[in-house]
DNA sequence: GACCAGGTGAATA
DNA sequence: TATTCACATGGT
């Protein structure tokens, strides 16, 4: 067991987990257990520090993007003279964009479409319990996220029984494609537009899911996913009039460039916490 | 019942 | 190219 200790000003564990980029975490003692692939860590706040306890130091150091200076991101977000950006980036300054497992991000966001976050979490948890490997972390037992190969063996009805709804075929077809050689690591060599296009070739992956996967699975900060919340914010806070989500995304990426992804998270988190009751 | 949730695929014009 | 509609499921 090792500990990573970081000043919490630009690394808040709650904000990082609750901002909607990851679905596998659970409250535990002073903080959270966070799961990624077959790994786990225990993360909590202690005074002015964020503490990560784990058996996989290097993995989680990279996972939480600890080499990046996020004060730069907040500074950039504030530089546009738009008050909502000022507010949102201050509120979300502790958010880090996670370096998630590519397969896990891909399948998770296929499940996310036209769905709400609590239910997405439930479905993913069921997937792990029924197909993942049982693992041990101290006294805690948990399940890994199942590989595409494992998913590809199951039937459409099996996924339907887990509550995936019409997304059952999307998950199955994408899992089979990966089993047949579609390589998520190889396509990391592509630039973001080509990567997006390639991902959209998968069943169940459209503009929005592709943007989430490039951002959360491939760490492409020039991606700006537009979901229903961001679309609402675009109209209400930016006076936007475009209805095509693709054009809305372009509006923001043209403005925010290589800070698009992190600013999108500031805005998403802000809008969602503001409106939740 | 209607409407919504981190939308997409397919049909249509 | 752009618009429209069905699609499972569960919560409000």
């Amino acid at each position: 067991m090792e500990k990573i200790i970081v000043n919490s000003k630009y690394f808040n564990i709650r904000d990082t987990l609750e901002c909607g980029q990851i679905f596998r975490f659970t409250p535990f003692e002073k903080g959270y257990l966070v799961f990624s692939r077959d790994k786990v860590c225990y993360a909590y706040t202690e005074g002015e520090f964020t503490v990560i306890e784990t058996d996989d130091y290097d993995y989680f150091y990279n996972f939480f993007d600890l080499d990046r200076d996020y004060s730069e991101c907040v500074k950039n977000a504030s530089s546009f003279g738009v008050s909502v950006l000022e507010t949102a980036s201050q509120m979300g300054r502790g958010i880090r964009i996670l370096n998630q497992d590519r397969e896990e991000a891909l399948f998770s966001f296929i499940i996310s479409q036209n769905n709400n976050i609590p239910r997405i979490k439930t479905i993913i948890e069921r997937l792990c319990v029924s197909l993942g490997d049982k693992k041990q972390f101290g006294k805690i037992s948990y399940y890994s996220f199942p590989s595409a190969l494992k998913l590809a063996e199951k039937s459409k009805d099996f996924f339907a029984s887990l509550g995936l709804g019409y997304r059952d075929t999307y998950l199955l077809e994408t899992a089979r494609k990966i089993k047949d050689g579609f390589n998520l690591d190889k396509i990391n060599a592509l630039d973001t537009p080509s990567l997006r296009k390639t991902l959209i070739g998968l069943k169940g992956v459209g503009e929005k899911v592709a943007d989430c996967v490039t951002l959360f699975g491939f760490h492409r900060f020039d991606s700006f996913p537009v979901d229903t919340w961001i679309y609402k914010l675009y109209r209400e806070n930016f006076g936007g009039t475009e209805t095509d989500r693709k054009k809305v995304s372009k509006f923001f990426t043209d403005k925010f460039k290589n800070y698009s992804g992190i600013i999108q998270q500031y805005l998403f988190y802000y809008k969602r916490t503001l409106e939740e009751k």
Side-chain angles (χ1 to χ4, degrees), chain A residues 14-135:
Chain A
R14 176 174 50 84
D15 297 340
T16 296
L17 297 175
E18 302 278 4
C19 72
Q21 58 180 322
I22 179 171
F23 305 104
R24 283 210 301 148
F25 61 91
T26 183
F28 177 74
E29 295 183 356
K30 293 184 282 181
Y32 299 87
L33 291 171
V34 186
F35 308 97
S36 176
R37 204 156 69 189
D38 59 337
K39 304 186 186 338
V40 62
C41 70
Y42 170 39
Y44 53 93
T45 305
E46 194 154 80
E48 56 188 71
F49 296 100
T50 295
V51 183
I52 312 291
E53 296 184 8
T54 179
D55 293 329
D56 297 285
Y57 186 101
D58 292 344
Y59 184 83
F60 282 103
Y61 187 91
N62 175 254
F63 182 80
F64 287 112
D65 205 22
L66 296 182
D67 272 337
R68 186 175 180 118
D69 177 8
Y70 276 77
S71 70
E72 282 295 317
C73 298
V74 175
K75 203 198 286 176
N76 184 274
S78 306
S79 71
F80 294 91
V82 178
S83 72
V84 65
L85 286 171
E86 187 86 32
T87 313
S89 62
Q90 266 314 310
M91 190 180 119
R93 70 177 183 217
I95 295 174
R96 326 272 311 181
I97 300 291
L98 302 174
N99 279 294
Q100 298 194 52
D101 178 71
R102 287 170 190 152
E103 273 190 17
E104 184 169 344
L106 174 60
F107 290 119
S108 296
F109 280 95
I110 285 177
I111 293 166
S112 80
Q113 65 178 80
N114 202 25
N115 211 340
N116 57 63
I117 291 177
R119 214 169 77 85
I120 297 164
K121 283 183 184 162
T122 307
I123 293 171
I124 293 175
E125 175 64 14
R126 286 186 200 138
L127 263 181
C128 295
V129 170
S130 54
L131 295 178
D133 299 323
K134 190 165 188 176
K135 313 281 287 185

Side-chain angles (χ1 to χ4, degrees), chain A residues 257-275:
Chain A
K257 307 275 192 286
N258 286 329
Y259 290 92
S260 296
I262 180 63
I263 293 177
Q264 193 271 1
Q265 282 306 101
Y266 294 149
L267 292 173
F268 177 82
Y269 188 47
Y270 164 80
K271 194 67 174 174
R272 234 183 123 244
T273 49
L274 198 72
E275 300 210 355

Side-chain angles (χ1 to χ4, degrees), chain A residues 107 110-111 113 115 119 123 127 151-152 154-176 203-204:
Chain A
F107 290 119
I110 285 177
I111 293 166
Q113 65 178 80
N115 211 340
R119 214 169 77 85
I123 293 171
L127 263 181
L151 296 171
K154 306 305 284 188
S155 69
K156 169 169 123 54
D157 287 349
F158 171 79
F159 294 122
S161 76
L162 295 183
L164 271 94
Y166 63 86
R167 309 168 195 83
D168 53 2
T169 50
Y170 300 164
L171 205 74
L172 185 57
E173 284 196 31
T174 294
R176 285 183 177 161
K203 196 52 76 64

Side-chain angles (χ1 to χ4, degrees), chain A residues 140-257:
Chain A
I140 308 295
S141 61
Y142 65 99
Y143 293 88
S144 65
F145 191 92
S147 67
L149 272 59
K150 201 107 184 221
L151 296 171
E153 290 170 2
K154 306 305 284 188
S155 69
K156 169 169 123 54
D157 287 349
F158 171 79
F159 294 122
S161 76
L162 295 183
L164 271 94
Y166 63 86
R167 309 168 195 83
D168 53 2
T169 50
Y170 300 164
L171 205 74
L172 185 57
E173 284 196 31
T174 294
R176 285 183 177 161
K177 210 151 183 179
I178 291 174
K179 186 190 172 191
D180 293 342
F182 185 97
N183 189 318
L184 286 174
D185 295 324
K186 230 177 222 172
I187 60 177
N188 187 37
L190 300 171
D191 63 8
T192 304
S194 314
L195 178 62
R196 272 170 49 94
K197 256 183 210 160
T198 308
L199 289 168
I200 288 171
L202 297 165
K203 196 52 76 64
V205 181
E207 306 283 345
K208 152 67 169 64
V209 171
D211 283 331
C212 286
V213 177
T214 55
L215 178 56
F216 304 130
F218 293 81
H219 217 65
R220 302 300 174 92
F221 277 52
D222 50 344
S223 294
F224 193 98
V226 178
D227 73 321
T228 56
W229 294 96
I230 289 289
Y231 180 56
K232 193 150 93 169
L233 176 135
Y234 164 75
R235 283 175 289 141
E236 293 175 2
N237 301 75
F238 286 83
T241 53
E242 296 286 356
T243 53
D244 183 356
R245 299 263 189 104
K246 199 170 174 178
K247 285 181 185 163
V248 177
S249 180
K250 184 173 161 32
F251 168 80
F252 285 114
T253 51
D254 283 349
K255 192 189 273 289
F256 301 140
K257 307 275 192 286

